[in-house]
Amino acid sequence: MIYLFSSSKHDDVFNMPLIEFKILKETIDVSKYDLLLFTSKNAVIAIDKISKEWKDIPSIAIGKESANTISKLDGSVVFVSNGYSKNLSSDIKKI
């Protein structure tokens, strides 16, 4: 038996999540933002549960999993970063 200590689920593995995600904010006004930056797929899932309006705002994704989740939930990915902060600020300026 293989035990995986992660929130990710995989076939033939017993999943034991170490972190439980709980949404603390029930509403959010995203209308004042021009761009959203998501650092994880869990952040995308959380905002989607709070409000669907985020989908109208272009998004930057840190990593492919974040980008995939944004796209899967019908959001707009304008840039995918590899996560290195050295380049992130200059990449955002180009958008």
Side-chain angles (χ1 to χ4, degrees):
M1 176 63 74
I2 298 172
Y3 295 91
L4 177 63
F5 294 91
S6 170
S7 60
S8 300
K9 296 189 184 229
H10 300 276
D11 293 338
D12 302 321
V13 176
F14 184 76
N15 178 255
M16 299 181 71
L18 296 175
I19 298 173
E20 179 183 343
F21 292 95
K22 187 180 237 182
I23 298 171
L24 301 176
K25 194 158 179 88
E26 294 180 16
T27 62
I28 187 168
D29 179 11
V30 295
S31 66
K32 53 188 163 188
Y33 301 107
D34 298 323
L35 187 67
L36 300 174
L37 186 143
F38 291 102
T39 59
S40 73
K41 67 179 183 178
N42 292 311
V44 181
I45 293 166
I47 199 169
D48 194 60
K49 289 180 180 178
I50 296 169
S51 171
K52 304 296 183 192
E53 294 175 1
W54 71 272
K55 297 175 185 186
D56 298 328
I57 301 169
S59 298
I60 294 173
I62 305 297
K64 291 180 183 179
E65 285 297 319
S66 297
N68 290 342
T69 305
I70 293 167
S71 295
K72 180 179 169 186
L73 294 174
D74 298 322
S76 171
V77 179
V78 294
F79 182 75
V80 180
S81 172
N82 61 12
Y84 294 108
S85 60
K86 178 181 176 182
N87 301 327
L88 184 58
S89 62
S90 61
D91 290 338
I92 290 173
K93 289 176 186 176
K94 295 176 190 174
I95 297 173

